[in-house]
Amino acid sequence: QLVESGGGLVEAGGSLRLSCAASGRSFSSYNMGWFRRAPGREREFVATSSWNAGNTDYADSVKGRFTISRDNAKNTVYLQMNSLKPEDSAVYYCAADLSWSRVRDGRPTYWGQGTQVTVSS
């Protein structure tokens, strides 16, 4: 089970940190990702971290502004979002899979329920 938190309303230029808490004892084996869906748009990839955080990848639209990290001891993955823009407004979803490619390709097995991020201009 994946549970996101940390969403909210923030002004443009501000920051938020999303958290995703995972249940289960094998969290450290999973590749983790963040995705988002804005109203009227397709779900899109945001960031991913390999099981040991040795590899990360980001969507071009968030590179240099967002950072994914994980704490395997706490079974938690984070998404630090800085310099937020109104176009970052969306529901953000945490996802997990044993396969890196499935996460990167938007086909992870496990999904959270999402947390709303709204950036005002």
mmCIF file with all atom_site columns, all heavy atoms in Angstrom, residues 34 45-49 55-69 78-80 100 104:
data_model
loop_
_atom_site.group_PDB
_atom_site.id
_atom_site.type_symbol
_atom_site.label_atom_id
_atom_site.label_alt_id
_atom_site.label_comp_id
_atom_site.label_asym_id
_atom_site.label_entity_id
_atom_site.label_seq_id
_atom_site.pdbx_PDB_ins_code
_atom_site.Cartn_x
_atom_site.Cartn_y
_atom_site.Cartn_z
_atom_site.occupancy
_atom_site.B_iso_or_equiv
_atom_site.pdbx_formal_charge
_atom_site.auth_seq_id
_atom_site.auth_comp_id
_atom_site.auth_asym_id
_atom_site.auth_atom_id
_atom_site.pdbx_PDB_model_num
ATOM 1   N N   . TRP A 1 34  ? 7.114  8.949  -9.222  1.00 0.00 ? 34  TRP A N   1
ATOM 2   C CA  . TRP A 1 34  ? 6.064  9.951  -9.055  1.00 0.00 ? 34  TRP A CA  1
ATOM 3   C C   . TRP A 1 34  ? 5.493  10.288 -10.430 1.00 0.00 ? 34  TRP A C   1
ATOM 4   O O   . TRP A 1 34  ? 6.254  10.466 -11.394 1.00 0.00 ? 34  TRP A O   1
ATOM 5   C CB  . TRP A 1 34  ? 6.596  11.220 -8.400  1.00 0.00 ? 34  TRP A CB  1
ATOM 6   C CG  . TRP A 1 34  ? 6.911  11.078 -6.953  1.00 0.00 ? 34  TRP A CG  1
ATOM 7   C CD1 . TRP A 1 34  ? 8.120  10.811 -6.391  1.00 0.00 ? 34  TRP A CD1 1
ATOM 8   C CD2 . TRP A 1 34  ? 5.990  11.199 -5.863  1.00 0.00 ? 34  TRP A CD2 1
ATOM 9   N NE1 . TRP A 1 34  ? 8.012  10.758 -5.028  1.00 0.00 ? 34  TRP A NE1 1
ATOM 10  C CE2 . TRP A 1 34  ? 6.713  10.992 -4.674  1.00 0.00 ? 34  TRP A CE2 1
ATOM 11  C CE3 . TRP A 1 34  ? 4.608  11.468 -5.774  1.00 0.00 ? 34  TRP A CE3 1
ATOM 12  C CZ2 . TRP A 1 34  ? 6.117  11.045 -3.418  1.00 0.00 ? 34  TRP A CZ2 1
ATOM 13  C CZ3 . TRP A 1 34  ? 4.024  11.516 -4.517  1.00 0.00 ? 34  TRP A CZ3 1
ATOM 14  C CH2 . TRP A 1 34  ? 4.769  11.308 -3.359  1.00 0.00 ? 34  TRP A CH2 1
ATOM 15  N N   . PHE A 1 45  ? 4.645  11.107 -16.429 1.00 0.00 ? 45  PHE A N   1
ATOM 16  C CA  . PHE A 1 45  ? 5.785  10.747 -15.588 1.00 0.00 ? 45  PHE A CA  1
ATOM 17  C C   . PHE A 1 45  ? 6.425  12.016 -15.040 1.00 0.00 ? 45  PHE A C   1
ATOM 18  O O   . PHE A 1 45  ? 6.553  13.012 -15.752 1.00 0.00 ? 45  PHE A O   1
ATOM 19  C CB  . PHE A 1 45  ? 6.784  9.955  -16.426 1.00 0.00 ? 45  PHE A CB  1
ATOM 20  C CG  . PHE A 1 45  ? 8.144  9.834  -15.812 1.00 0.00 ? 45  PHE A CG  1
ATOM 21  C CD1 . PHE A 1 45  ? 8.381  8.937  -14.790 1.00 0.00 ? 45  PHE A CD1 1
ATOM 22  C CD2 . PHE A 1 45  ? 9.194  10.626 -16.260 1.00 0.00 ? 45  PHE A CD2 1
ATOM 23  C CE1 . PHE A 1 45  ? 9.639  8.815  -14.227 1.00 0.00 ? 45  PHE A CE1 1
ATOM 24  C CE2 . PHE A 1 45  ? 10.456 10.513 -15.709 1.00 0.00 ? 45  PHE A CE2 1
ATOM 25  C CZ  . PHE A 1 45  ? 10.673 9.611  -14.686 1.00 0.00 ? 45  PHE A CZ  1
ATOM 26  N N   . VAL A 1 46  ? 6.833  11.959 -13.776 1.00 0.00 ? 46  VAL A N   1
ATOM 27  C CA  . VAL A 1 46  ? 7.515  13.100 -13.159 1.00 0.00 ? 46  VAL A CA  1
ATOM 28  C C   . VAL A 1 46  ? 8.950  12.723 -12.781 1.00 0.00 ? 46  VAL A C   1
ATOM 29  O O   . VAL A 1 46  ? 9.900  13.392 -13.175 1.00 0.00 ? 46  VAL A O   1
ATOM 30  C CB  . VAL A 1 46  ? 6.757  13.583 -11.914 1.00 0.00 ? 46  VAL A CB  1
ATOM 31  C CG1 . VAL A 1 46  ? 7.550  14.684 -11.198 1.00 0.00 ? 46  VAL A CG1 1
ATOM 32  C CG2 . VAL A 1 46  ? 5.368  14.076 -12.284 1.00 0.00 ? 46  VAL A CG2 1
ATOM 33  N N   . ALA A 1 47  ? 9.102  11.666 -11.992 1.00 0.00 ? 47  ALA A N   1
ATOM 34  C CA  . ALA A 1 47  ? 10.439 11.297 -11.512 1.00 0.00 ? 47  ALA A CA  1
ATOM 35  C C   . ALA A 1 47  ? 10.430 9.845  -11.065 1.00 0.00 ? 47  ALA A C   1
ATOM 36  O O   . ALA A 1 47  ? 9.393  9.300  -10.707 1.00 0.00 ? 47  ALA A O   1
ATOM 37  C CB  . ALA A 1 47  ? 10.868 12.189 -10.357 1.00 0.00 ? 47  ALA A CB  1
ATOM 38  N N   . THR A 1 48  ? 11.607 9.239  -11.074 1.00 0.00 ? 48  THR A N   1
ATOM 39  C CA  . THR A 1 48  ? 11.730 7.882  -10.586 1.00 0.00 ? 48  THR A CA  1
ATOM 40  C C   . THR A 1 48  ? 13.077 7.669  -9.910  1.00 0.00 ? 48  THR A C   1
ATOM 41  O O   . THR A 1 48  ? 14.058 8.332  -10.256 1.00 0.00 ? 48  THR A O   1
ATOM 42  C CB  . THR A 1 48  ? 11.541 6.857  -11.721 1.00 0.00 ? 48  THR A CB  1
ATOM 43  O OG1 . THR A 1 48  ? 11.583 5.534  -11.172 1.00 0.00 ? 48  THR A OG1 1
ATOM 44  C CG2 . THR A 1 48  ? 12.628 6.977  -12.774 1.00 0.00 ? 48  THR A CG2 1
ATOM 45  N N   . SER A 1 49  ? 13.089 6.770  -8.951  1.00 0.00 ? 49  SER A N   1
ATOM 46  C CA  . SER A 1 49  ? 14.301 6.400  -8.240  1.00 0.00 ? 49  SER A CA  1
ATOM 47  C C   . SER A 1 49  ? 14.410 4.883  -8.229  1.00 0.00 ? 49  SER A C   1
ATOM 48  O O   . SER A 1 49  ? 13.436 4.185  -7.945  1.00 0.00 ? 49  SER A O   1
ATOM 49  C CB  . SER A 1 49  ? 14.252 6.916  -6.803  1.00 0.00 ? 49  SER A CB  1
ATOM 50  O OG  . SER A 1 49  ? 15.307 6.357  -6.029  1.00 0.00 ? 49  SER A OG  1
ATOM 51  N N   . ASN A 1 55  ? 20.018 5.206  -9.313  1.00 0.00 ? 55  ASN A N   1
ATOM 52  C CA  . ASN A 1 55  ? 19.571 5.826  -10.566 1.00 0.00 ? 55  ASN A CA  1
ATOM 53  C C   . ASN A 1 55  ? 18.333 6.655  -10.305 1.00 0.00 ? 55  ASN A C   1
ATOM 54  O O   . ASN A 1 55  ? 17.418 6.224  -9.606  1.00 0.00 ? 55  ASN A O   1
ATOM 55  C CB  . ASN A 1 55  ? 19.235 4.753  -11.601 1.00 0.00 ? 55  ASN A CB  1
ATOM 56  C CG  . ASN A 1 55  ? 20.475 4.058  -12.124 1.00 0.00 ? 55  ASN A CG  1
ATOM 57  O OD1 . ASN A 1 55  ? 21.480 4.707  -12.390 1.00 0.00 ? 55  ASN A OD1 1
ATOM 58  N ND2 . ASN A 1 55  ? 20.404 2.761  -12.281 1.00 0.00 ? 55  ASN A ND2 1
ATOM 59  N N   . THR A 1 56  ? 18.310 7.826  -10.886 1.00 0.00 ? 56  THR A N   1
ATOM 60  C CA  . THR A 1 56  ? 17.122 8.670  -10.865 1.00 0.00 ? 56  THR A CA  1
ATOM 61  C C   . THR A 1 56  ? 16.888 9.203  -12.270 1.00 0.00 ? 56  THR A C   1
ATOM 62  O O   . THR A 1 56  ? 17.812 9.266  -13.093 1.00 0.00 ? 56  THR A O   1
ATOM 63  C CB  . THR A 1 56  ? 17.244 9.849  -9.889  1.00 0.00 ? 56  THR A CB  1
ATOM 64  O OG1 . THR A 1 56  ? 18.383 10.636 -10.246 1.00 0.00 ? 56  THR A OG1 1
ATOM 65  C CG2 . THR A 1 56  ? 17.412 9.369  -8.451  1.00 0.00 ? 56  THR A CG2 1
ATOM 66  N N   . ASP A 1 57  ? 15.667 9.567  -12.538 1.00 0.00 ? 57  ASP A N   1
ATOM 67  C CA  . ASP A 1 57  ? 15.332 10.146 -13.832 1.00 0.00 ? 57  ASP A CA  1
ATOM 68  C C   . ASP A 1 57  ? 14.185 11.110 -13.628 1.00 0.00 ? 57  ASP A C   1
ATOM 69  O O   . ASP A 1 57  ? 13.357 10.926 -12.730 1.00 0.00 ? 57  ASP A O   1
ATOM 70  C CB  . ASP A 1 57  ? 14.942 9.047  -14.826 1.00 0.00 ? 57  ASP A CB  1
ATOM 71  C CG  . ASP A 1 57  ? 14.966 9.541  -16.261 1.00 0.00 ? 57  ASP A CG  1
ATOM 72  O OD1 . ASP A 1 57  ? 15.494 10.646 -16.510 1.00 0.00 ? 57  ASP A OD1 1
ATOM 73  O OD2 . ASP A 1 57  ? 14.447 8.818  -17.134 1.00 0.00 ? 57  ASP A OD2 1
ATOM 74  N N   . TYR A 1 58  ? 14.146 12.131 -14.473 1.00 0.00 ? 58  TYR A N   1
ATOM 75  C CA  . TYR A 1 58  ? 13.143 13.181 -14.330 1.00 0.00 ? 58  TYR A CA  1
ATOM 76  C C   . TYR A 1 58  ? 12.555 13.544 -15.684 1.00 0.00 ? 58  TYR A C   1
ATOM 77  O O   . TYR A 1 58  ? 13.229 13.477 -16.712 1.00 0.00 ? 58  TYR A O   1
ATOM 78  C CB  . TYR A 1 58  ? 13.773 14.438 -13.719 1.00 0.00 ? 58  TYR A CB  1
ATOM 79  C CG  . TYR A 1 58  ? 14.307 14.246 -12.331 1.00 0.00 ? 58  TYR A CG  1
ATOM 80  C CD1 . TYR A 1 58  ? 15.621 13.849 -12.118 1.00 0.00 ? 58  TYR A CD1 1
ATOM 81  C CD2 . TYR A 1 58  ? 13.493 14.464 -11.217 1.00 0.00 ? 58  TYR A CD2 1
ATOM 82  C CE1 . TYR A 1 58  ? 16.116 13.658 -10.838 1.00 0.00 ? 58  TYR A CE1 1
ATOM 83  C CE2 . TYR A 1 58  ? 13.984 14.283 -9.929  1.00 0.00 ? 58  TYR A CE2 1
ATOM 84  C CZ  . TYR A 1 58  ? 15.291 13.872 -9.755  1.00 0.00 ? 58  TYR A CZ  1
ATOM 85  O OH  . TYR A 1 58  ? 15.786 13.696 -8.477  1.00 0.00 ? 58  TYR A OH  1
ATOM 86  N N   . ALA A 1 59  ? 11.323 13.978 -15.642 1.00 0.00 ? 59  ALA A N   1
ATOM 87  C CA  . ALA A 1 59  ? 10.741 14.583 -16.833 1.00 0.00 ? 59  ALA A CA  1
ATOM 88  C C   . ALA A 1 59  ? 11.453 15.893 -17.112 1.00 0.00 ? 59  ALA A C   1
ATOM 89  O O   . ALA A 1 59  ? 11.882 16.593 -16.185 1.00 0.00 ? 59  ALA A O   1
ATOM 90  C CB  . ALA A 1 59  ? 9.251  14.833 -16.612 1.00 0.00 ? 59  ALA A CB  1
ATOM 91  N N   . ASP A 1 60  ? 11.589 16.225 -18.375 1.00 0.00 ? 60  ASP A N   1
ATOM 92  C CA  . ASP A 1 60  ? 12.279 17.465 -18.733 1.00 0.00 ? 60  ASP A CA  1
ATOM 93  C C   . ASP A 1 60  ? 11.633 18.681 -18.077 1.00 0.00 ? 60  ASP A C   1
ATOM 94  O O   . ASP A 1 60  ? 12.312 19.641 -17.715 1.00 0.00 ? 60  ASP A O   1
ATOM 95  C CB  . ASP A 1 60  ? 12.280 17.639 -20.249 1.00 0.00 ? 60  ASP A CB  1
ATOM 96  C CG  . ASP A 1 60  ? 13.205 16.663 -20.948 1.00 0.00 ? 60  ASP A CG  1
ATOM 97  O OD1 . ASP A 1 60  ? 14.098 16.094 -20.280 1.00 0.00 ? 60  ASP A OD1 1
ATOM 98  O OD2 . ASP A 1 60  ? 13.042 16.471 -22.164 1.00 0.00 ? 60  ASP A OD2 1
ATOM 99  N N   . SER A 1 61  ? 10.331 18.626 -17.910 1.00 0.00 ? 61  SER A N   1
ATOM 100 C CA  . SER A 1 61  ? 9.604  19.786 -17.384 1.00 0.00 ? 61  SER A CA  1
ATOM 101 C C   . SER A 1 61  ? 9.916  20.072 -15.918 1.00 0.00 ? 61  SER A C   1
ATOM 102 O O   . SER A 1 61  ? 9.623  21.176 -15.436 1.00 0.00 ? 61  SER A O   1
ATOM 103 C CB  . SER A 1 61  ? 8.103  19.565 -17.540 1.00 0.00 ? 61  SER A CB  1
ATOM 104 O OG  . SER A 1 61  ? 7.690  18.395 -16.857 1.00 0.00 ? 61  SER A OG  1
ATOM 105 N N   . VAL A 1 62  ? 10.515 19.105 -15.212 1.00 0.00 ? 62  VAL A N   1
ATOM 106 C CA  . VAL A 1 62  ? 10.782 19.316 -13.793 1.00 0.00 ? 62  VAL A CA  1
ATOM 107 C C   . VAL A 1 62  ? 12.270 19.245 -13.454 1.00 0.00 ? 62  VAL A C   1
ATOM 108 O O   . VAL A 1 62  ? 12.646 19.479 -12.294 1.00 0.00 ? 62  VAL A O   1
ATOM 109 C CB  . VAL A 1 62  ? 10.003 18.306 -12.907 1.00 0.00 ? 62  VAL A CB  1
ATOM 110 C CG1 . VAL A 1 62  ? 8.521  18.341 -13.235 1.00 0.00 ? 62  VAL A CG1 1
ATOM 111 C CG2 . VAL A 1 62  ? 10.566 16.906 -13.028 1.00 0.00 ? 62  VAL A CG2 1
ATOM 112 N N   . LYS A 1 63  ? 13.096 18.935 -14.415 1.00 0.00 ? 63  LYS A N   1
ATOM 113 C CA  . LYS A 1 63  ? 14.531 18.838 -14.151 1.00 0.00 ? 63  LYS A CA  1
ATOM 114 C C   . LYS A 1 63  ? 15.074 20.149 -13.596 1.00 0.00 ? 63  LYS A C   1
ATOM 115 O O   . LYS A 1 63  ? 14.755 21.224 -14.091 1.00 0.00 ? 63  LYS A O   1
ATOM 116 C CB  . LYS A 1 63  ? 15.283 18.473 -15.428 1.00 0.00 ? 63  LYS A CB  1
ATOM 117 C CG  . LYS A 1 63  ? 15.231 17.000 -15.776 1.00 0.00 ? 63  LYS A CG  1
ATOM 118 C CD  . LYS A 1 63  ? 16.012 16.693 -17.043 1.00 0.00 ? 63  LYS A CD  1
ATOM 119 C CE  . LYS A 1 63  ? 15.949 15.218 -17.384 1.00 0.00 ? 63  LYS A CE  1
ATOM 120 N NZ  . LYS A 1 63  ? 16.627 14.907 -18.659 1.00 0.00 ? 63  LYS A NZ  1
ATOM 121 N N   . GLY A 1 64  ? 15.873 20.019 -12.557 1.00 0.00 ? 64  GLY A N   1
ATOM 122 C CA  . GLY A 1 64  ? 16.450 21.200 -11.930 1.00 0.00 ? 64  GLY A CA  1
ATOM 123 C C   . GLY A 1 64  ? 15.556 21.837 -10.888 1.00 0.00 ? 64  GLY A C   1
ATOM 124 O O   . GLY A 1 64  ? 15.999 22.709 -10.137 1.00 0.00 ? 64  GLY A O   1
ATOM 125 N N   . ARG A 1 65  ? 14.297 21.425 -10.826 1.00 0.00 ? 65  ARG A N   1
ATOM 126 C CA  . ARG A 1 65  ? 13.361 21.976 -9.836  1.00 0.00 ? 65  ARG A CA  1
ATOM 127 C C   . ARG A 1 65  ? 12.879 20.928 -8.843  1.00 0.00 ? 65  ARG A C   1
ATOM 128 O O   . ARG A 1 65  ? 12.655 21.256 -7.673  1.00 0.00 ? 65  ARG A O   1
ATOM 129 C CB  . ARG A 1 65  ? 12.150 22.586 -10.553 1.00 0.00 ? 65  ARG A CB  1
ATOM 130 C CG  . ARG A 1 65  ? 12.493 23.705 -11.512 1.00 0.00 ? 65  ARG A CG  1
ATOM 131 C CD  . ARG A 1 65  ? 11.228 24.394 -12.035 1.00 0.00 ? 65  ARG A CD  1
ATOM 132 N NE  . ARG A 1 65  ? 10.353 23.491 -12.782 1.00 0.00 ? 65  ARG A NE  1
ATOM 133 C CZ  . ARG A 1 65  ? 9.090  23.232 -12.445 1.00 0.00 ? 65  ARG A CZ  1
ATOM 134 N NH1 . ARG A 1 65  ? 8.554  23.816 -11.397 1.00 0.00 ? 65  ARG A NH1 1
ATOM 135 N NH2 . ARG A 1 65  ? 8.352  22.407 -13.187 1.00 0.00 ? 65  ARG A NH2 1
ATOM 136 N N   . PHE A 1 66  ? 12.719 19.710 -9.301  1.00 0.00 ? 66  PHE A N   1
ATOM 137 C CA  . PHE A 1 66  ? 12.212 18.633 -8.440  1.00 0.00 ? 66  PHE A CA  1
ATOM 138 C C   . PHE A 1 66  ? 13.345 17.653 -8.132  1.00 0.00 ? 66  PHE A C   1
ATOM 139 O O   . PHE A 1 66  ? 14.213 17.412 -8.973  1.00 0.00 ? 66  PHE A O   1
ATOM 140 C CB  . PHE A 1 66  ? 11.094 17.866 -9.134  1.00 0.00 ? 66  PHE A CB  1
ATOM 141 C CG  . PHE A 1 66  ? 9.801  18.620 -9.308  1.00 0.00 ? 66  PHE A CG  1
ATOM 142 C CD1 . PHE A 1 66  ? 9.705  19.986 -9.070  1.00 0.00 ? 66  PHE A CD1 1
ATOM 143 C CD2 . PHE A 1 66  ? 8.663  17.948 -9.712  1.00 0.00 ? 66  PHE A CD2 1
ATOM 144 C CE1 . PHE A 1 66  ? 8.508  20.668 -9.236  1.00 0.00 ? 66  PHE A CE1 1
ATOM 145 C CE2 . PHE A 1 66  ? 7.451  18.616 -9.881  1.00 0.00 ? 66  PHE A CE2 1
ATOM 146 C CZ  . PHE A 1 66  ? 7.382  19.977 -9.648  1.00 0.00 ? 66  PHE A CZ  1
ATOM 147 N N   . THR A 1 67  ? 13.275 17.061 -6.946  1.00 0.00 ? 67  THR A N   1
ATOM 148 C CA  . THR A 1 67  ? 14.251 16.054 -6.547  1.00 0.00 ? 67  THR A CA  1
ATOM 149 C C   . THR A 1 67  ? 13.530 14.889 -5.877  1.00 0.00 ? 67  THR A C   1
ATOM 150 O O   . THR A 1 67  ? 12.763 15.103 -4.921  1.00 0.00 ? 67  THR A O   1
ATOM 151 C CB  . THR A 1 67  ? 15.292 16.630 -5.575  1.00 0.00 ? 67  THR A CB  1
ATOM 152 O OG1 . THR A 1 67  ? 15.949 17.737 -6.178  1.00 0.00 ? 67  THR A OG1 1
ATOM 153 C CG2 . THR A 1 67  ? 16.322 15.570 -5.212  1.00 0.00 ? 67  THR A CG2 1
ATOM 154 N N   . ILE A 1 68  ? 13.791 13.697 -6.376  1.00 0.00 ? 68  ILE A N   1
ATOM 155 C CA  . ILE A 1 68  ? 13.244 12.496 -5.758  1.00 0.00 ? 68  ILE A CA  1
ATOM 156 C C   . ILE A 1 68  ? 14.306 11.897 -4.846  1.00 0.00 ? 68  ILE A C   1
ATOM 157 O O   . ILE A 1 68  ? 15.489 11.875 -5.182  1.00 0.00 ? 68  ILE A O   1
ATOM 158 C CB  . ILE A 1 68  ? 12.776 11.472 -6.818  1.00 0.00 ? 68  ILE A CB  1
ATOM 159 C CG1 . ILE A 1 68  ? 12.031 10.308 -6.152  1.00 0.00 ? 68  ILE A CG1 1
ATOM 160 C CG2 . ILE A 1 68  ? 13.930 10.996 -7.679  1.00 0.00 ? 68  ILE A CG2 1
ATOM 161 C CD1 . ILE A 1 68  ? 11.350 9.368  -7.157  1.00 0.00 ? 68  ILE A CD1 1
ATOM 162 N N   . SER A 1 69  ? 13.864 11.428 -3.691  1.00 0.00 ? 69  SER A N   1
ATOM 163 C CA  . SER A 1 69  ? 14.775 10.774 -2.769  1.00 0.00 ? 69  SER A CA  1
ATOM 164 C C   . SER A 1 69  ? 13.998 9.711  -2.014  1.00 0.00 ? 69  SER A C   1
ATOM 165 O O   . SER A 1 69  ? 12.762 9.676  -2.067  1.00 0.00 ? 69  SER A O   1
ATOM 166 C CB  . SER A 1 69  ? 15.399 11.781 -1.797  1.00 0.00 ? 69  SER A CB  1
ATOM 167 O OG  . SER A 1 69  ? 14.398 12.413 -1.009  1.00 0.00 ? 69  SER A OG  1
ATOM 168 N N   . TYR A 1 78  ? 10.290 10.510 -1.299  1.00 0.00 ? 78  TYR A N   1
ATOM 169 C CA  . TYR A 1 78  ? 9.940  11.931 -1.254  1.00 0.00 ? 78  TYR A CA  1
ATOM 170 C C   . TYR A 1 78  ? 10.050 12.560 -2.638  1.00 0.00 ? 78  TYR A C   1
ATOM 171 O O   . TYR A 1 78  ? 10.802 12.087 -3.495  1.00 0.00 ? 78  TYR A O   1
ATOM 172 C CB  . TYR A 1 78  ? 10.873 12.669 -0.296  1.00 0.00 ? 78  TYR A CB  1
ATOM 173 C CG  . TYR A 1 78  ? 10.927 12.101 1.091   1.00 0.00 ? 78  TYR A CG  1
ATOM 174 C CD1 . TYR A 1 78  ? 11.950 11.223 1.460   1.00 0.00 ? 78  TYR A CD1 1
ATOM 175 C CD2 . TYR A 1 78  ? 9.967  12.419 2.045   1.00 0.00 ? 78  TYR A CD2 1
ATOM 176 C CE1 . TYR A 1 78  ? 12.003 10.684 2.737   1.00 0.00 ? 78  TYR A CE1 1
ATOM 177 C CE2 . TYR A 1 78  ? 10.019 11.889 3.318   1.00 0.00 ? 78  TYR A CE2 1
ATOM 178 C CZ  . TYR A 1 78  ? 11.033 11.016 3.662   1.00 0.00 ? 78  TYR A CZ  1
ATOM 179 O OH  . TYR A 1 78  ? 11.091 10.487 4.926   1.00 0.00 ? 78  TYR A OH  1
ATOM 180 N N   . LEU A 1 79  ? 9.328  13.636 -2.806  1.00 0.00 ? 79  LEU A N   1
ATOM 181 C CA  . LEU A 1 79  ? 9.488  14.475 -3.986  1.00 0.00 ? 79  LEU A CA  1
ATOM 182 C C   . LEU A 1 79  ? 9.559  15.913 -3.512  1.00 0.00 ? 79  LEU A C   1
ATOM 183 O O   . LEU A 1 79  ? 8.555  16.492 -3.090  1.00 0.00 ? 79  LEU A O   1
ATOM 184 C CB  . LEU A 1 79  ? 8.331  14.296 -4.970  1.00 0.00 ? 79  LEU A CB  1
ATOM 185 C CG  . LEU A 1 79  ? 8.503  15.050 -6.288  1.00 0.00 ? 79  LEU A CG  1
ATOM 186 C CD1 . LEU A 1 79  ? 9.653  14.444 -7.104  1.00 0.00 ? 79  LEU A CD1 1
ATOM 187 C CD2 . LEU A 1 79  ? 7.216  15.038 -7.105  1.00 0.00 ? 79  LEU A CD2 1
ATOM 188 N N   . GLN A 1 80  ? 10.753 16.462 -3.535  1.00 0.00 ? 80  GLN A N   1
ATOM 189 C CA  . GLN A 1 80  ? 10.950 17.877 -3.192  1.00 0.00 ? 80  GLN A CA  1
ATOM 190 C C   . GLN A 1 80  ? 10.698 18.710 -4.435  1.00 0.00 ? 80  GLN A C   1
ATOM 191 O O   . GLN A 1 80  ? 11.364 18.500 -5.452  1.00 0.00 ? 80  GLN A O   1
ATOM 192 C CB  . GLN A 1 80  ? 12.367 18.107 -2.677  1.00 0.00 ? 80  GLN A CB  1
ATOM 193 C CG  . GLN A 1 80  ? 12.662 19.553 -2.332  1.00 0.00 ? 80  GLN A CG  1
ATOM 194 C CD  . GLN A 1 80  ? 11.851 20.063 -1.148  1.00 0.00 ? 80  GLN A CD  1
ATOM 195 O OE1 . GLN A 1 80  ? 11.726 19.375 -0.161  1.00 0.00 ? 80  GLN A OE1 1
ATOM 196 N NE2 . GLN A 1 80  ? 11.318 21.279 -1.271  1.00 0.00 ? 80  GLN A NE2 1
ATOM 197 N N   . TRP A 1 100 ? 12.422 -1.435 -13.039 1.00 0.00 ? 100 TRP A N   1
ATOM 198 C CA  . TRP A 1 100 ? 12.739 -0.023 -13.314 1.00 0.00 ? 100 TRP A CA  1
ATOM 199 C C   . TRP A 1 100 ? 12.027 0.443  -14.572 1.00 0.00 ? 100 TRP A C   1
ATOM 200 O O   . TRP A 1 100 ? 11.457 1.522  -14.607 1.00 0.00 ? 100 TRP A O   1
ATOM 201 C CB  . TRP A 1 100 ? 14.243 0.149  -13.449 1.00 0.00 ? 100 TRP A CB  1
ATOM 202 C CG  . TRP A 1 100 ? 14.677 1.424  -14.096 1.00 0.00 ? 100 TRP A CG  1
ATOM 203 C CD1 . TRP A 1 100 ? 14.920 1.633  -15.410 1.00 0.00 ? 100 TRP A CD1 1
ATOM 204 C CD2 . TRP A 1 100 ? 14.922 2.679  -13.445 1.00 0.00 ? 100 TRP A CD2 1
ATOM 205 N NE1 . TRP A 1 100 ? 15.306 2.931  -15.620 1.00 0.00 ? 100 TRP A NE1 1
ATOM 206 C CE2 . TRP A 1 100 ? 15.323 3.592  -14.448 1.00 0.00 ? 100 TRP A CE2 1
ATOM 207 C CE3 . TRP A 1 100 ? 14.858 3.110  -12.112 1.00 0.00 ? 100 TRP A CE3 1
ATOM 208 C CZ2 . TRP A 1 100 ? 15.654 4.921  -14.154 1.00 0.00 ? 100 TRP A CZ2 1
ATOM 209 C CZ3 . TRP A 1 100 ? 15.190 4.434  -11.828 1.00 0.00 ? 100 TRP A CZ3 1
ATOM 210 C CH2 . TRP A 1 100 ? 15.578 5.314  -12.831 1.00 0.00 ? 100 TRP A CH2 1
ATOM 211 N N   . ARG A 1 104 ? 9.468  3.603  -15.254 1.00 0.00 ? 104 ARG A N   1
ATOM 212 C CA  . ARG A 1 104 ? 9.855  4.669  -16.185 1.00 0.00 ? 104 ARG A CA  1
ATOM 213 C C   . ARG A 1 104 ? 8.867  4.779  -17.350 1.00 0.00 ? 104 ARG A C   1
ATOM 214 O O   . ARG A 1 104 ? 8.623  5.877  -17.859 1.00 0.00 ? 104 ARG A O   1
ATOM 215 C CB  . ARG A 1 104 ? 11.266 4.423  -16.706 1.00 0.00 ? 104 ARG A CB  1
ATOM 216 C CG  . ARG A 1 104 ? 11.797 5.551  -17.598 1.00 0.00 ? 104 ARG A CG  1
ATOM 217 C CD  . ARG A 1 104 ? 11.808 6.863  -16.868 1.00 0.00 ? 104 ARG A CD  1
ATOM 218 N NE  . ARG A 1 104 ? 12.181 7.983  -17.710 1.00 0.00 ? 104 ARG A NE  1
ATOM 219 C CZ  . ARG A 1 104 ? 11.334 8.686  -18.447 1.00 0.00 ? 104 ARG A CZ  1
ATOM 220 N NH1 . ARG A 1 104 ? 10.039 8.351  -18.463 1.00 0.00 ? 104 ARG A NH1 1
ATOM 221 N NH2 . ARG A 1 104 ? 11.754 9.707  -19.164 1.00 0.00 ? 104 ARG A NH2 1
#
